[in-house]
Short mmCIF file of all heavy atoms in Angstrom, two decimals:
data_model
loop_
_atom_site.label_atom_id
_atom_site.label_comp_id
_atom_site.label_asym_id
_atom_site.label_seq_id
_atom_site.Cartn_x
_atom_site.Cartn_y
_atom_site.Cartn_z
N GLY B 2 -69.17 -45.40 46.57
CA GLY B 2 -70.59 -45.41 46.90
C GLY B 2 -71.39 -44.26 46.33
O GLY B 2 -72.57 -44.41 46.07
N ALA B 3 -70.74 -43.14 46.11
CA ALA B 3 -71.47 -41.98 45.58
C ALA B 3 -71.41 -41.96 44.06
O ALA B 3 -70.43 -42.39 43.47
CB ALA B 3 -70.89 -40.69 46.14
N THR B 4 -72.48 -41.48 43.47
CA THR B 4 -72.53 -41.38 42.02
C THR B 4 -71.46 -40.41 41.51
O THR B 4 -71.32 -39.31 42.03
CB THR B 4 -73.92 -40.88 41.59
OG1 THR B 4 -74.89 -41.83 41.99
CG2 THR B 4 -73.99 -40.71 40.08
N LYS B 5 -70.72 -40.83 40.51
CA LYS B 5 -69.69 -39.98 39.90
C LYS B 5 -70.32 -39.06 38.86
O LYS B 5 -70.43 -39.42 37.69
CB LYS B 5 -68.62 -40.84 39.23
CG LYS B 5 -67.73 -41.61 40.16
CD LYS B 5 -66.67 -42.36 39.35
CE LYS B 5 -65.55 -42.89 40.21
NZ LYS B 5 -64.52 -43.57 39.38
N LEU B 6 -70.72 -37.89 39.29
CA LEU B 6 -71.49 -37.01 38.39
C LEU B 6 -70.63 -36.32 37.36
O LEU B 6 -71.13 -35.89 36.31
CB LEU B 6 -72.25 -35.97 39.22
CG LEU B 6 -73.53 -36.47 39.89
CD1 LEU B 6 -74.04 -35.46 40.90
CD2 LEU B 6 -74.60 -36.76 38.84
N ASP B 7 -69.34 -36.21 37.62
CA ASP B 7 -68.47 -35.40 36.76
C ASP B 7 -68.07 -36.08 35.46
O ASP B 7 -67.40 -35.47 34.64
CB ASP B 7 -67.21 -35.02 37.56
CG ASP B 7 -66.54 -36.23 38.19
OD1 ASP B 7 -67.27 -37.10 38.72
OD2 ASP B 7 -65.31 -36.34 38.13
N ILE B 8 -68.46 -37.31 35.28
CA ILE B 8 -68.00 -38.02 34.08
C ILE B 8 -69.05 -38.11 32.99
O ILE B 8 -68.83 -38.74 31.97
CB ILE B 8 -67.51 -39.45 34.45
CG1 ILE B 8 -68.64 -40.28 35.04
CG2 ILE B 8 -66.34 -39.38 35.41
CD1 ILE B 8 -68.27 -41.74 35.28
N TYR B 9 -70.19 -37.46 33.19
CA TYR B 9 -71.27 -37.56 32.21
C TYR B 9 -71.54 -36.23 31.52
O TYR B 9 -71.29 -35.17 32.08
CB TYR B 9 -72.55 -38.06 32.88
CG TYR B 9 -72.37 -39.33 33.64
CD1 TYR B 9 -72.28 -39.32 35.03
CD2 TYR B 9 -72.26 -40.55 32.98
CE1 TYR B 9 -72.09 -40.50 35.75
CE2 TYR B 9 -72.08 -41.73 33.69
CZ TYR B 9 -72.00 -41.69 35.07
OH TYR B 9 -71.81 -42.85 35.76
N ASP B 10 -72.12 -36.31 30.33
CA ASP B 10 -72.57 -35.10 29.62
C ASP B 10 -73.73 -34.47 30.40
O ASP B 10 -74.46 -35.15 31.12
CB ASP B 10 -73.07 -35.47 28.22
CG ASP B 10 -71.91 -35.78 27.28
OD1 ASP B 10 -70.75 -35.59 27.70
OD2 ASP B 10 -72.18 -36.21 26.15
N GLN B 11 -73.90 -33.18 30.19
CA GLN B 11 -74.94 -32.45 30.91
C GLN B 11 -76.33 -33.00 30.62
O GLN B 11 -77.14 -33.17 31.53
CB GLN B 11 -74.87 -30.96 30.55
CG GLN B 11 -75.79 -30.09 31.38
CD GLN B 11 -75.48 -30.16 32.86
OE1 GLN B 11 -74.32 -30.02 33.25
NE2 GLN B 11 -76.48 -30.40 33.70
N ASN B 12 -76.60 -33.27 29.36
CA ASN B 12 -77.95 -33.74 29.01
C ASN B 12 -78.26 -35.10 29.64
O ASN B 12 -79.41 -35.39 29.96
CB ASN B 12 -78.14 -33.79 27.50
CG ASN B 12 -77.31 -34.86 26.83
OD1 ASN B 12 -76.13 -35.03 27.17
ND2 ASN B 12 -77.89 -35.60 25.92
N ILE B 13 -77.23 -35.90 29.84
CA ILE B 13 -77.43 -37.20 30.47
C ILE B 13 -77.76 -37.04 31.95
O ILE B 13 -78.69 -37.68 32.46
CB ILE B 13 -76.18 -38.09 30.25
CG1 ILE B 13 -76.18 -38.61 28.81
CG2 ILE B 13 -76.15 -39.24 31.25
CD1 ILE B 13 -74.97 -39.44 28.45
N THR B 14 -77.04 -36.18 32.64
CA THR B 14 -77.36 -35.95 34.06
C THR B 14 -78.71 -35.27 34.21
O THR B 14 -79.42 -35.51 35.18
CB THR B 14 -76.27 -35.11 34.75
OG1 THR B 14 -76.05 -33.91 34.01
CG2 THR B 14 -74.96 -35.87 34.85
N ASP B 15 -79.08 -34.43 33.25
CA ASP B 15 -80.40 -33.80 33.28
C ASP B 15 -81.51 -34.85 33.24
O ASP B 15 -82.44 -34.81 34.05
CB ASP B 15 -80.57 -32.83 32.10
CG ASP B 15 -79.79 -31.53 32.31
OD1 ASP B 15 -79.30 -31.31 33.45
OD2 ASP B 15 -79.67 -30.76 31.36
N ILE B 16 -81.39 -35.77 32.30
CA ILE B 16 -82.38 -36.84 32.18
C ILE B 16 -82.46 -37.64 33.48
O ILE B 16 -83.55 -37.91 34.00
CB ILE B 16 -82.01 -37.80 31.01
CG1 ILE B 16 -82.04 -37.06 29.67
CG2 ILE B 16 -82.92 -39.02 31.00
CD1 ILE B 16 -83.38 -36.90 29.05
N ALA B 17 -81.30 -37.97 34.02
CA ALA B 17 -81.27 -38.77 35.25
C ALA B 17 -81.91 -38.02 36.42
O ALA B 17 -82.65 -38.61 37.22
CB ALA B 17 -79.82 -39.15 35.59
N MET B 18 -81.65 -36.72 36.50
CA MET B 18 -82.22 -35.95 37.61
C MET B 18 -83.74 -35.83 37.50
O MET B 18 -84.44 -35.86 38.52
CB MET B 18 -81.59 -34.55 37.66
CG MET B 18 -80.19 -34.56 38.25
SD MET B 18 -79.41 -32.94 38.21
CE MET B 18 -80.45 -32.02 39.35
N ILE B 19 -84.22 -35.68 36.28
CA ILE B 19 -85.66 -35.65 36.07
C ILE B 19 -86.28 -36.99 36.46
O ILE B 19 -87.27 -37.05 37.19
CB ILE B 19 -85.98 -35.33 34.59
CG1 ILE B 19 -85.59 -33.89 34.27
CG2 ILE B 19 -87.46 -35.58 34.30
CD1 ILE B 19 -85.59 -33.58 32.79
N ALA B 20 -85.66 -38.05 35.98
CA ALA B 20 -86.20 -39.39 36.24
C ALA B 20 -86.23 -39.68 37.73
O ALA B 20 -87.14 -40.36 38.22
CB ALA B 20 -85.37 -40.44 35.50
N LYS B 21 -85.25 -39.16 38.46
CA LYS B 21 -85.17 -39.41 39.89
C LYS B 21 -86.41 -38.90 40.63
O LYS B 21 -86.85 -39.49 41.61
CB LYS B 21 -83.91 -38.75 40.45
CG LYS B 21 -83.31 -39.48 41.61
CD LYS B 21 -81.90 -38.99 41.91
CE LYS B 21 -80.97 -40.14 42.25
NZ LYS B 21 -79.59 -39.70 42.49
N VAL B 22 -86.96 -37.81 40.16
CA VAL B 22 -88.17 -37.26 40.78
C VAL B 22 -89.32 -38.26 40.69
O VAL B 22 -90.09 -38.43 41.64
CB VAL B 22 -88.57 -35.93 40.12
CG1 VAL B 22 -89.88 -35.40 40.71
CG2 VAL B 22 -87.47 -34.89 40.27
N PHE B 23 -89.38 -38.94 39.56
CA PHE B 23 -90.48 -39.89 39.32
C PHE B 23 -90.12 -41.30 39.78
O PHE B 23 -90.92 -42.22 39.61
CB PHE B 23 -90.84 -39.91 37.84
CG PHE B 23 -91.29 -38.58 37.33
CD1 PHE B 23 -90.40 -37.71 36.74
CD2 PHE B 23 -92.61 -38.18 37.49
CE1 PHE B 23 -90.81 -36.46 36.29
CE2 PHE B 23 -93.03 -36.93 37.05
CZ PHE B 23 -92.13 -36.07 36.45
N ALA B 24 -88.94 -41.47 40.34
CA ALA B 24 -88.45 -42.81 40.65
C ALA B 24 -88.91 -43.31 42.01
O ALA B 24 -88.46 -44.35 42.46
CB ALA B 24 -86.92 -42.83 40.57
N HIS B 25 -89.79 -42.57 42.66
CA HIS B 25 -90.38 -43.08 43.91
C HIS B 25 -91.90 -42.99 43.81
O HIS B 25 -92.43 -41.93 43.50
CB HIS B 25 -89.87 -42.29 45.12
CG HIS B 25 -90.16 -42.98 46.41
ND1 HIS B 25 -91.42 -43.03 46.96
CD2 HIS B 25 -89.37 -43.71 47.23
CE1 HIS B 25 -91.38 -43.74 48.08
NE2 HIS B 25 -90.15 -44.16 48.26
N PRO B 26 -92.60 -44.10 44.11
CA PRO B 26 -94.05 -44.12 43.93
C PRO B 26 -94.78 -43.04 44.74
O PRO B 26 -95.80 -42.53 44.28
CB PRO B 26 -94.45 -45.53 44.38
CG PRO B 26 -93.28 -46.08 45.11
CD PRO B 26 -92.08 -45.40 44.53
N ALA B 27 -94.24 -42.67 45.89
CA ALA B 27 -94.89 -41.62 46.68
C ALA B 27 -94.92 -40.32 45.89
O ALA B 27 -95.94 -39.61 45.89
CB ALA B 27 -94.16 -41.43 48.00
N ARG B 28 -93.83 -40.03 45.19
CA ARG B 28 -93.78 -38.77 44.45
C ARG B 28 -94.67 -38.82 43.22
O ARG B 28 -95.32 -37.82 42.87
CB ARG B 28 -92.32 -38.45 44.09
CG ARG B 28 -91.49 -38.10 45.30
CD ARG B 28 -90.17 -37.46 44.93
NE ARG B 28 -89.19 -38.39 44.39
CZ ARG B 28 -88.30 -39.05 45.13
NH1 ARG B 28 -88.27 -38.88 46.44
NH2 ARG B 28 -87.43 -39.86 44.57
N VAL B 29 -94.74 -39.96 42.57
CA VAL B 29 -95.67 -40.12 41.44
C VAL B 29 -97.10 -39.95 41.92
O VAL B 29 -97.90 -39.23 41.31
CB VAL B 29 -95.48 -41.49 40.77
CG1 VAL B 29 -96.49 -41.68 39.64
CG2 VAL B 29 -94.07 -41.66 40.24
N ALA B 30 -97.40 -40.57 43.06
CA ALA B 30 -98.76 -40.48 43.61
C ALA B 30 -99.09 -39.04 44.00
O ALA B 30 -100.20 -38.57 43.77
CB ALA B 30 -98.89 -41.40 44.82
N ILE B 31 -98.14 -38.34 44.60
CA ILE B 31 -98.35 -36.95 44.99
C ILE B 31 -98.62 -36.09 43.76
O ILE B 31 -99.57 -35.29 43.74
CB ILE B 31 -97.13 -36.41 45.77
CG1 ILE B 31 -97.06 -37.04 47.16
CG2 ILE B 31 -97.17 -34.89 45.86
CD1 ILE B 31 -95.75 -36.76 47.90
N LEU B 32 -97.83 -36.26 42.73
CA LEU B 32 -98.01 -35.47 41.51
C LEU B 32 -99.36 -35.74 40.87
O LEU B 32 -100.06 -34.83 40.44
CB LEU B 32 -96.88 -35.79 40.51
CG LEU B 32 -95.54 -35.12 40.82
CD1 LEU B 32 -94.42 -35.75 40.02
CD2 LEU B 32 -95.61 -33.62 40.53
N GLN B 33 -99.73 -37.01 40.84
CA GLN B 33 -101.03 -37.38 40.27
C GLN B 33 -102.17 -36.79 41.10
O GLN B 33 -103.13 -36.25 40.56
CB GLN B 33 -101.15 -38.90 40.24
CG GLN B 33 -102.31 -39.40 39.42
CD GLN B 33 -102.27 -40.92 39.29
OE1 GLN B 33 -102.52 -41.65 40.23
NE2 GLN B 33 -101.95 -41.39 38.09
N TYR B 34 -102.01 -36.88 42.41
CA TYR B 34 -103.06 -36.37 43.30
C TYR B 34 -103.23 -34.86 43.16
O TYR B 34 -104.35 -34.36 43.03
CB TYR B 34 -102.71 -36.72 44.74
CG TYR B 34 -103.76 -36.25 45.73
CD1 TYR B 34 -104.98 -36.91 45.82
CD2 TYR B 34 -103.54 -35.16 46.54
CE1 TYR B 34 -105.95 -36.49 46.71
CE2 TYR B 34 -104.50 -34.72 47.43
CZ TYR B 34 -105.71 -35.39 47.51
OH TYR B 34 -106.67 -34.97 48.37
N ILE B 35 -102.10 -34.15 43.18
CA ILE B 35 -102.16 -32.69 43.05
C ILE B 35 -102.86 -32.29 41.76
O ILE B 35 -103.69 -31.39 41.73
CB ILE B 35 -100.75 -32.08 43.10
CG1 ILE B 35 -100.17 -32.19 44.51
CG2 ILE B 35 -100.77 -30.62 42.66
CD1 ILE B 35 -98.76 -31.67 44.63
N SER B 36 -102.52 -33.00 40.70
CA SER B 36 -103.06 -32.61 39.40
C SER B 36 -104.54 -32.94 39.27
O SER B 36 -105.22 -32.39 38.40
CB SER B 36 -102.28 -33.30 38.29
OG SER B 36 -102.68 -34.64 38.17
N ASN B 37 -105.05 -33.80 40.12
CA ASN B 37 -106.46 -34.18 40.02
C ASN B 37 -107.36 -33.42 40.98
O ASN B 37 -108.58 -33.53 40.91
CB ASN B 37 -106.63 -35.68 40.27
CG ASN B 37 -106.06 -36.50 39.14
OD1 ASN B 37 -105.93 -36.02 38.01
ND2 ASN B 37 -105.69 -37.73 39.43
N GLN B 38 -106.77 -32.66 41.89
CA GLN B 38 -107.56 -31.92 42.87
C GLN B 38 -107.74 -30.48 42.42
O GLN B 38 -106.90 -29.93 41.71
CB GLN B 38 -106.85 -31.93 44.22
CG GLN B 38 -106.65 -33.30 44.81
CD GLN B 38 -107.94 -34.10 44.88
OE1 GLN B 38 -108.08 -35.09 44.18
NE2 GLN B 38 -108.89 -33.65 45.69
N GLU B 39 -108.80 -29.89 42.90
CA GLU B 39 -108.97 -28.46 42.67
C GLU B 39 -108.18 -27.66 43.69
O GLU B 39 -107.46 -26.73 43.37
CB GLU B 39 -110.46 -28.09 42.73
CG GLU B 39 -111.26 -28.77 41.64
CD GLU B 39 -112.26 -27.82 41.02
OE1 GLU B 39 -112.29 -26.64 41.41
OE2 GLU B 39 -113.04 -28.26 40.16
N ALA B 40 -108.35 -28.05 44.96
CA ALA B 40 -107.53 -27.48 46.01
C ALA B 40 -106.53 -28.55 46.42
O ALA B 40 -106.88 -29.72 46.52
CB ALA B 40 -108.37 -27.07 47.20
N CYS B 41 -105.30 -28.15 46.60
CA CYS B 41 -104.28 -29.17 46.82
C CYS B 41 -103.51 -28.86 48.10
O CYS B 41 -102.43 -28.31 48.06
CB CYS B 41 -103.34 -29.23 45.64
SG CYS B 41 -103.07 -27.64 44.86
N ILE B 42 -104.10 -29.23 49.19
CA ILE B 42 -103.53 -28.94 50.50
C ILE B 42 -102.74 -30.16 50.97
O ILE B 42 -103.17 -31.29 50.81
CB ILE B 42 -104.65 -28.58 51.49
CG1 ILE B 42 -105.30 -27.28 51.04
CG2 ILE B 42 -104.12 -28.49 52.90
CD1 ILE B 42 -106.77 -27.21 51.31
N CYS B 43 -101.60 -29.90 51.56
CA CYS B 43 -100.70 -30.97 51.94
C CYS B 43 -101.33 -32.00 52.85
O CYS B 43 -101.13 -33.19 52.69
CB CYS B 43 -99.43 -30.42 52.58
SG CYS B 43 -98.24 -31.69 53.03
N ASN B 44 -102.11 -31.54 53.82
CA ASN B 44 -102.70 -32.47 54.77
C ASN B 44 -103.64 -33.46 54.09
O ASN B 44 -103.80 -34.59 54.55
CB ASN B 44 -103.44 -31.69 55.86
CG ASN B 44 -103.63 -32.55 57.09
OD1 ASN B 44 -104.73 -32.95 57.40
ND2 ASN B 44 -102.54 -32.85 57.78
N ASP B 45 -104.26 -33.04 53.00
CA ASP B 45 -105.07 -33.97 52.22
C ASP B 45 -104.22 -35.10 51.67
O ASP B 45 -104.63 -36.25 51.61
CB ASP B 45 -105.72 -33.24 51.03
CG ASP B 45 -106.80 -32.29 51.48
OD1 ASP B 45 -107.07 -32.25 52.69
OD2 ASP B 45 -107.36 -31.59 50.63
N ILE B 46 -103.00 -34.75 51.25
CA ILE B 46 -102.11 -35.76 50.69
C ILE B 46 -101.74 -36.77 51.76
O ILE B 46 -101.70 -37.98 51.50
CB ILE B 46 -100.84 -35.10 50.11
CG1 ILE B 46 -101.22 -34.06 49.06
CG2 ILE B 46 -99.92 -36.14 49.52
CD1 ILE B 46 -100.04 -33.34 48.47
N VAL B 47 -101.50 -36.27 52.96
CA VAL B 47 -101.17 -37.18 54.07
C VAL B 47 -102.30 -38.17 54.30
O VAL B 47 -102.07 -39.35 54.52
CB VAL B 47 -100.87 -36.38 55.35
CG1 VAL B 47 -100.65 -37.31 56.53
CG2 VAL B 47 -99.64 -35.50 55.16
N ASP B 48 -103.55 -37.66 54.24
CA ASP B 48 -104.69 -38.56 54.41
C ASP B 48 -104.80 -39.55 53.26
O ASP B 48 -105.12 -40.72 53.46
CB ASP B 48 -105.99 -37.74 54.50
CG ASP B 48 -106.03 -36.88 55.76
OD1 ASP B 48 -105.24 -37.18 56.69
OD2 ASP B 48 -106.81 -35.92 55.81
N GLU B 49 -104.53 -39.07 52.07
CA GLU B 49 -104.70 -39.89 50.86
C GLU B 49 -103.67 -41.01 50.79
O GLU B 49 -104.01 -42.17 50.57
CB GLU B 49 -104.57 -38.98 49.63
CG GLU B 49 -104.81 -39.66 48.31
CD GLU B 49 -106.27 -40.01 48.06
OE1 GLU B 49 -107.15 -39.48 48.76
OE2 GLU B 49 -106.52 -40.85 47.16
N ILE B 50 -102.41 -40.64 50.95
CA ILE B 50 -101.32 -41.60 50.88
C ILE B 50 -100.99 -42.04 52.30
O ILE B 50 -101.04 -41.24 53.21
CB ILE B 50 -100.08 -40.95 50.21
CG1 ILE B 50 -100.49 -40.38 48.84
CG2 ILE B 50 -98.95 -41.94 50.06
CD1 ILE B 50 -99.44 -39.53 48.20
N GLY B 51 -100.65 -43.27 52.50
CA GLY B 51 -100.44 -43.77 53.86
C GLY B 51 -99.05 -43.53 54.40
O GLY B 51 -98.38 -44.45 54.84
N LEU B 52 -98.62 -42.27 54.37
CA LEU B 52 -97.30 -41.94 54.90
C LEU B 52 -97.44 -40.80 55.90
O LEU B 52 -98.38 -40.01 55.82
CB LEU B 52 -96.35 -41.53 53.78
CG LEU B 52 -95.93 -42.61 52.78
CD1 LEU B 52 -95.15 -42.01 51.63
CD2 LEU B 52 -95.13 -43.71 53.45
N ALA B 53 -96.49 -40.69 56.80
CA ALA B 53 -96.53 -39.65 57.82
C ALA B 53 -96.29 -38.28 57.20
O ALA B 53 -95.70 -38.16 56.13
CB ALA B 53 -95.48 -39.93 58.89
N GLN B 54 -96.76 -37.26 57.90
CA GLN B 54 -96.66 -35.88 57.39
C GLN B 54 -95.21 -35.47 57.09
O GLN B 54 -94.95 -34.88 56.03
CB GLN B 54 -97.33 -34.93 58.39
CG GLN B 54 -97.27 -33.47 58.00
CD GLN B 54 -96.08 -32.75 58.62
OE1 GLN B 54 -95.69 -33.04 59.75
NE2 GLN B 54 -95.47 -31.84 57.89
N PRO B 55 -94.24 -35.75 57.95
CA PRO B 55 -92.87 -35.35 57.60
C PRO B 55 -92.36 -36.03 56.34
O PRO B 55 -91.59 -35.43 55.57
CB PRO B 55 -92.06 -35.80 58.82
CG PRO B 55 -93.03 -35.82 59.94
CD PRO B 55 -94.32 -36.28 59.32
N THR B 56 -92.78 -37.25 56.12
CA THR B 56 -92.33 -37.98 54.93
C THR B 56 -92.89 -37.34 53.67
O THR B 56 -92.17 -37.14 52.69
CB THR B 56 -92.76 -39.46 55.03
OG1 THR B 56 -92.32 -39.98 56.27
CG2 THR B 56 -92.16 -40.27 53.90
N ILE B 57 -94.17 -37.02 53.71
CA ILE B 57 -94.80 -36.34 52.57
C ILE B 57 -94.11 -35.00 52.32
O ILE B 57 -93.80 -34.64 51.17
CB ILE B 57 -96.30 -36.10 52.85
CG1 ILE B 57 -97.05 -37.43 52.99
CG2 ILE B 57 -96.92 -35.25 51.74
CD1 ILE B 57 -97.20 -38.22 51.73
N SER B 58 -93.86 -34.28 53.39
CA SER B 58 -93.22 -32.97 53.28
C SER B 58 -91.85 -33.09 52.62
O SER B 58 -91.45 -32.24 51.81
CB SER B 58 -93.09 -32.36 54.68
OG SER B 58 -92.80 -30.99 54.60
N GLN B 59 -91.14 -34.13 52.98
CA GLN B 59 -89.82 -34.39 52.41
C GLN B 59 -89.92 -34.68 50.91
O GLN B 59 -89.13 -34.15 50.11
CB GLN B 59 -89.23 -35.59 53.13
CG GLN B 59 -87.75 -35.77 53.04
CD GLN B 59 -87.29 -36.86 54.00
OE1 GLN B 59 -86.98 -36.63 55.15
NE2 GLN B 59 -87.28 -38.09 53.53
N HIS B 60 -90.88 -35.51 50.52
CA HIS B 60 -91.06 -35.82 49.09
C HIS B 60 -91.48 -34.56 48.32
O HIS B 60 -91.04 -34.34 47.19
CB HIS B 60 -92.11 -36.91 48.92
CG HIS B 60 -91.60 -38.28 49.20
ND1 HIS B 60 -90.53 -38.84 48.51
CD2 HIS B 60 -91.99 -39.22 50.08
CE1 HIS B 60 -90.30 -40.06 48.97
NE2 HIS B 60 -91.16 -40.32 49.93
N LEU B 61 -92.33 -33.75 48.95
CA LEU B 61 -92.76 -32.50 48.32
C LEU B 61 -91.56 -31.60 48.07
O LEU B 61 -91.49 -30.89 47.06
CB LEU B 61 -93.79 -31.79 49.19
CG LEU B 61 -95.23 -32.25 49.02
CD1 LEU B 61 -96.11 -31.69 50.13
CD2 LEU B 61 -95.79 -31.82 47.66
N LYS B 62 -90.61 -31.63 48.97
CA LYS B 62 -89.41 -30.80 48.81
C LYS B 62 -88.61 -31.24 47.58
O LYS B 62 -88.12 -30.40 46.82
CB LYS B 62 -88.56 -30.87 50.07
CG LYS B 62 -87.31 -30.00 50.03
CD LYS B 62 -86.65 -29.93 51.38
CE LYS B 62 -85.19 -29.50 51.27
NZ LYS B 62 -84.96 -28.35 50.39
N VAL B 63 -88.50 -32.54 47.41
CA VAL B 63 -87.78 -33.07 46.24
C VAL B 63 -88.47 -32.62 44.95
O VAL B 63 -87.82 -32.16 44.00
CB VAL B 63 -87.71 -34.61 46.29
CG1 VAL B 63 -87.10 -35.18 45.00
CG2 VAL B 63 -86.90 -35.07 47.49
N ILE B 64 -89.80 -32.72 44.94
CA ILE B 64 -90.58 -32.31 43.77
C ILE B 64 -90.43 -30.82 43.54
O ILE B 64 -90.24 -30.35 42.41
CB ILE B 64 -92.06 -32.69 43.96
CG1 ILE B 64 -92.22 -34.21 44.05
CG2 ILE B 64 -92.91 -32.14 42.83
CD1 ILE B 64 -93.60 -34.68 44.47
N ASN B 65 -90.48 -30.08 44.63
CA ASN B 65 -90.36 -28.62 44.55
C ASN B 65 -88.97 -28.19 44.07
O ASN B 65 -88.84 -27.27 43.26
CB ASN B 65 -90.68 -28.00 45.90
CG ASN B 65 -90.74 -26.49 45.84
OD1 ASN B 65 -91.51 -25.93 45.07
ND2 ASN B 65 -89.93 -25.83 46.64
#
Side-chain angles (χ1 to χ4, degrees):
Chain B
T4 298
K5 290 183 167 182
L6 281 168
D7 52 318
I8 61 174
Y9 306 103
D10 286 353
Q11 187 61 49
N12 68 317
I13 284 177
T14 53
D15 285 349
I16 297 278
M18 283 176 66
I19 292 168
K21 212 166 221 178
V22 176
F23 300 94
H25 195 286
R28 291 194 286 269
V29 177
I31 288 170
L32 282 165
Q33 192 173 71
Y34 181 74
I35 290 177
S36 78
N37 290 337
Q38 298 308 113
E39 297 222 3
C41 34
I42 295 145
C43 182
N44 200 251
D45 290 357
I46 303 178
V47 175
D48 294 342
E49 183 72 15
I50 306 170
L52 292 173
Q54 179 266 324
T56 308
I57 297 290
S58 195
Q59 200 170 271
H60 281 302
L61 276 168
K62 182 170 160 46
V63 174
I64 296 170
N65 187 57

